[in-house]
Amino acid sequence: MKSCIKFISFTLLFLSMFVSKAWAEKVTVITPYLAQPGTQMYVEGFKNEASKKGWDLNIIDTKGDVAEVISRIEDAVNQKVDGIVINVDPSQIAAGLEVAAAANIPVVGMDSGADPLLVTNVTSNGYAMAAETSVYVANRIEGKGNVVMFVFDAFPPVQIRGVIADAVFGNFPDINVMDRITPDVQDGGIADSRAKMEALLAANPEAGSIAAVWAAWDQPAIGAMQAIEAAGRSNEGIVIVGIDANPQARDAISQGGNFEASIAQDFVGIGSATANAIGRAMSGEEIKSKVIYVPTVLITSANVGN
Amino acid sequence: MKILNLIKKYGTLIGFFGIIIFFTINLPSTFLTAKNFINISQQISMLAVVAFTMTVVMVMNDFDLSVGSMASLAGIVAAVLFSMGYPIWIGILAALFVGIIGGLFNGFLVSIIGILPFVATLGTLTMFSGFAFLISGGRTIFGRDIPSEFSSFARSGIEISSLGLKIPFLSILALLILFIVWFILEQTTYGRRLYAIGGNTEASFLAGIKVKQLRLSAFALTGVGAAIAGLMYSSRVASSNPTQGSGLMLEAIAAVFLGMTMSEEGEPRVLYTLLGVLILGVLDNGLTQMNVDSYIREVLVGFIVILAVAFSSITKKRN
């Protein structure tokens, strides 16, 4: 009798698992940038929210290949998923978005850029982040001196940061952007930025010849900081700022050295807000706003410990 | 014994059908459909073009590691010209011209200067990539800079209204390149000479084959193939990025190796390369639909390539 009850309960358990899996809504997240710490945190936030909602989640990393994002969207549409989330410039994957639209599958962008084929895009305000950090630099150097910029125009969310910083620095007649560097990001962005900064320091050996380093994300700022320390020029007061406030940047800021500020995006918050947005879209709700901004915070030595 | 011979000869093909059956069972309603296979044909079209033309140099036991960078550079050249207002045909011709020049340069380094293909094309890989960054200023060129007629090519195809299907132009173009490469390699004296060089370079030279010129031209063909793939990629993503083709090279070589396991002499044959490309494409598509983690997919694909080549190598040694 006991074994009979055991058998029935196991069968029921198995069936309930199978049924819940079969009924679970299928959501596919596709990104070419899963190796990036920020993307990993978006995905973490998304996963947490998805597990609460009981979704059957598939996360796909195309390892930098944008055309493969289109292919994987086509596969997901074929698979008849309920919703798709992308983390790549939507204008480059219009072919895939059109396939999803034809199949009436909602697609939400996770820090991807706005597009008419997306239900909405959940992101931080890149313009505001670049404005806040570049104005911080301009104020700290009292509106004069040579500034080194680290940019990456190939990736639209980072490209807009550079555009804003250009405008801010251009508005100060005594600020001179002495170099606008695009580092090689294949090694993560630190090593090549450090090498480029070392070359600039060697070319400008006089104290005070470089007033500040503005970086469109944290890794080049860290590379620049390492170059300045290695050159023994930490006490010249070169101001360094980054964007993203990753753990390494926070650690540097907390030490009160040249790396003075960064801006914290709420990556996990973007992930969970994206999950909420796709959930609403899958339930048939019309999302009117084409962009949903998640708030950011300027991190300095004053609040880095919070 | 006959069965064993059959497995030895057609192991890779049997494995391919095994994969198809596996996915058909696990994805009964979505895998074995005409729409899905048309999708796959479109997804693999760029890799296929690179792999088909890579076969041309691999026939001579050479390699071209620069195909991915060349695909990026060709796409960037076309996009920059589009952004400067030049008509589409000029952008395309310029990209193809860059492909020929880049390929000839590879051929020059390998056949005239005598640098090992691995080293020469590793150098040009970096050079072409540097040019792509230089010309584009490191930017992705997209939006209004890319003419809609150019990007719509990758989204269009020949409609078969009776079946409700559309054969994408990208797939048709890949098939056309397959036919051209097959014709050159299998139906012309030129192709047979390339195989002769692969069999024994010195003997070919002594037999009067113009080894240097043929190697030079073969690299040019591979360069053009990479440029075509770059243009296809740019059309598909409606943009050009200086790193867009970087994933193509290793997969193209893997596809040729997978195909080589079908050949009794272990030579690259372009129709077998097609099988290699299909295996990679079907695995990607099926494993994605089965929600298999993308990193596990990567490990599995690598494992299958090694397994196929190892199996073929062991059975041939025994023979």
Side-chain angles (χ1 to χ4, degrees):
Chain A
M1 186 62 188
K2 263 186 183 177
S3 60
C4 184
I5 291 169
K6 260 187 187 174
F7 174 77
I8 291 169
S9 50
F10 271 121
T11 310
L12 284 173
L13 184 70
F14 175 77
L15 279 176
S16 67
M17 282 168 68
F18 177 77
V19 168
S20 68
K21 185 89 176 166
W23 282 353
E25 288 177 298
K26 285 184 195 163
V27 180
T28 298
V29 178
I30 309 169
T31 172
Y33 310 117
L34 198 55
Q36 297 293 324
T39 310
Q40 287 165 8
M41 288 161 82
Y42 299 142
V43 170
E44 203 51 50
F46 192 94
K47 268 184 181 171
N48 293 341
E49 205 59 37
S51 73
K52 283 183 207 161
K53 296 176 192 296
W55 291 343
D56 180 5
L57 187 60
N58 186 17
I59 294 161
I60 299 169
D61 179 15
T62 66
K63 297 169 290 302
D65 190 339
V66 178
E68 203 194 322
V69 173
I70 300 174
S71 303
R72 298 293 80 86
I73 291 175
E74 289 163 350
D75 292 347
V77 169
N78 227 347
Q79 200 188 343
K80 299 183 175 74
V81 298
D82 298 287
I84 297 171
V85 171
I86 55 140
N87 169 233
V88 63
D89 174 18
S91 69
Q92 293 179 263
I93 55 160
L97 296 179
E98 282 169 6
V99 173
N104 285 322
I105 295 173
V107 184
V108 167
M110 187 159 64
D111 194 18
S112 64
D115 190 280
L117 290 169
L118 291 182
V119 173
T120 188
N121 174 42
V122 184
T123 184
S124 309
N125 190 337
Y127 296 102
M129 287 193 297
E132 201 163 352
T133 52
S134 52
V135 168
Y136 178 92
V137 166
N139 290 338
R140 274 287 289 116
I141 62 174
E142 296 175 355
K144 57 177 182 291
N146 289 327
V147 175
V148 178
M149 290 176 66
F150 282 93
V151 294
F152 196 78
D153 292 345
F155 184 45
V158 179
Q159 181 259 345
I160 61 169
R161 299 176 187 175
V163 170
I164 293 296
D166 285 337
V168 169
F169 295 138
N171 205 36
F172 287 85
D174 295 329
I175 289 181
N176 169 45
V177 176
M178 67 188 300
D179 209 342
R180 204 173 182 280
I181 298 167
T182 301
D184 185 344
V185 294
Q186 285 180 350
D187 58 4
I190 295 181
D192 190 56
S193 305
R194 178 179 171 158
K196 298 264 166 48
M197 191 67 201
E198 280 168 349
L200 264 183
L201 288 164
N204 298 276
E206 314 82 37
S209 53
I210 299 173
V213 175
W214 179 90
W217 72 110
D218 282 331
Q219 278 86 344
I222 293 163
M225 181 190 72
Q226 290 173 351
I228 290 166
E229 285 173 358
R233 294 175 66 172
S234 307
N235 54 1
E236 278 180 28
I238 301 173
V239 176
I240 302 173
V241 301
I243 290 179
D244 293 340
N246 72 26
Q248 210 174 345
R250 284 170 189 265
D251 185 49
I253 292 167
S254 69
Q255 287 169 19
N258 296 85
F259 201 145
E260 291 191 8
S262 184
I263 201 154
Q265 295 191 63
D266 184 0
F267 292 118
V268 176
I270 289 174
S272 49
T274 307
N276 285 326
I278 191 75
R280 286 163 61 198
M282 290 190 305
S283 68
E285 184 184 331
E286 187 195 350
I287 300 174
K288 284 183 180 156
S289 174
K290 278 290 185 185
V291 183
I292 297 171
Y293 285 127
V294 175
T296 58
V297 183
L298 186 74
I299 302 291
T300 63
S301 56
N303 64 351
V304 69
N306 298 345
Chain B
M1 200 60 192
K2 267 186 182 172
I3 290 172
L4 201 66
N5 280 335
L6 208 69
I7 291 172
K8 275 179 193 171
K9 200 172 175 188
Y10 298 110
T12 310
L13 193 64
I14 293 167
F16 175 63
F17 285 116
I19 291 167
I20 299 267
I21 291 165
F22 173 79
F23 286 136
T24 307
I25 292 167
N26 282 283
L27 301 161
S29 60
T30 59
F31 181 75
L32 200 64
T33 64
K35 197 179 158 207
N36 192 40
F37 272 77
I38 286 172
N39 252 347
I40 293 173
S41 76
Q42 180 167 246
Q43 292 167 2
I44 61 172
S45 58
M46 292 150 283
L47 170 65
V49 169
V50 175
F52 297 155
T53 48
M54 176 74 90
T55 310
V56 178
V57 284
M58 288 182 71
V59 155
M60 307 179 301
N61 289 332
D62 286 335
F63 280 104
D64 186 350
L65 302 184
S66 69
V67 283
S69 297
M70 176 49 75
S72 305
L73 178 60
I76 285 289
V77 165
V80 167
L81 289 171
F82 296 155
S83 69
M84 290 164 75
Y86 285 96
I88 294 174
W89 67 271
I90 292 218
I92 292 173
L93 278 185
L96 296 178
F97 182 69
V98 165
I100 292 176
I101 295 296
L104 282 173
F105 184 60
N106 278 331
F108 171 77
L109 295 176
V110 173
S111 68
I112 311 289
I113 304 285
I115 305 174
L116 284 174
F118 184 83
V119 182
T121 58
L122 191 64
T124 51
L125 177 157
T126 315
M127 272 178 64
F128 298 157
S129 170
F131 279 131
F133 273 98
L134 192 69
I135 295 169
S136 65
R139 287 178 312 120
T140 298
I141 300 164
F142 64 102
R144 274 171 297 176
D145 287 337
I146 306 292
S148 57
E149 295 87 350
F150 177 74
S151 49
S152 65
F153 173 79
R155 288 183 228 165
S156 316
I158 296 173
E159 302 271 358
I160 304 175
S161 45
S162 57
L163 298 172
L165 295 172
K166 185 171 73 179
I167 312 292
F169 284 140
L170 288 180
S171 312
I172 295 168
L173 181 57
L175 272 178
L176 184 70
I177 306 282
L178 172 69
F179 174 76
I180 292 170
V181 174
W182 171 81
F183 185 79
I184 289 173
L185 287 180
E186 308 285 342
Q187 303 297 318
T188 64
T189 320
Y190 173 84
R192 276 189 283 277
R193 285 179 178 159
L194 294 187
Y195 277 106
I197 294 171
N200 190 328
T201 312
E202 208 171 323
S204 308
F205 177 73
L206 292 172
I209 293 176
K210 292 177 178 168
V211 175
K212 284 184 181 176
Q213 287 91 325
L214 287 179
R215 280 178 100 186
L216 198 75
S217 61
F219 272 99
L221 283 175
T222 306
V224 176
I228 293 171
L231 288 167
M232 291 164 77
Y233 194 109
S234 293
S235 174
R236 180 143 161 94
V237 299
S239 62
S240 280
N241 182 298
T243 60
Q244 66 183 22
S246 53
L248 288 171
M249 178 262 287
L250 284 177
E251 287 207 4
I253 293 177
V256 181
F257 273 128
L258 269 175
M260 280 163 69
T261 60
M262 285 281 294
S263 156
E264 273 185 68
E265 302 81 20
E267 288 171 327
R269 298 272 169 192
V270 72
L271 290 178
Y272 297 158
T273 299
L274 171 67
L275 182 71
V277 173
L278 280 172
I279 289 175
L280 295 178
V282 164
L283 275 173
D284 254 345
N285 175 278
L287 292 172
T288 303
Q289 288 202 42
M290 282 181 68
N291 286 8
V292 174
D293 187 299
S294 47
Y295 299 133
I296 294 176
R297 228 166 56 220
E298 193 101 326
V299 174
L300 271 177
V301 169
F303 178 72
I304 287 168
V305 172
I306 292 172
L307 191 75
V309 177
F311 180 76
S312 152
S313 167
I314 291 165
T315 49
K316 269 161 201 159
K317 259 185 203 168
R318 283 193 184 155
N319 281 349

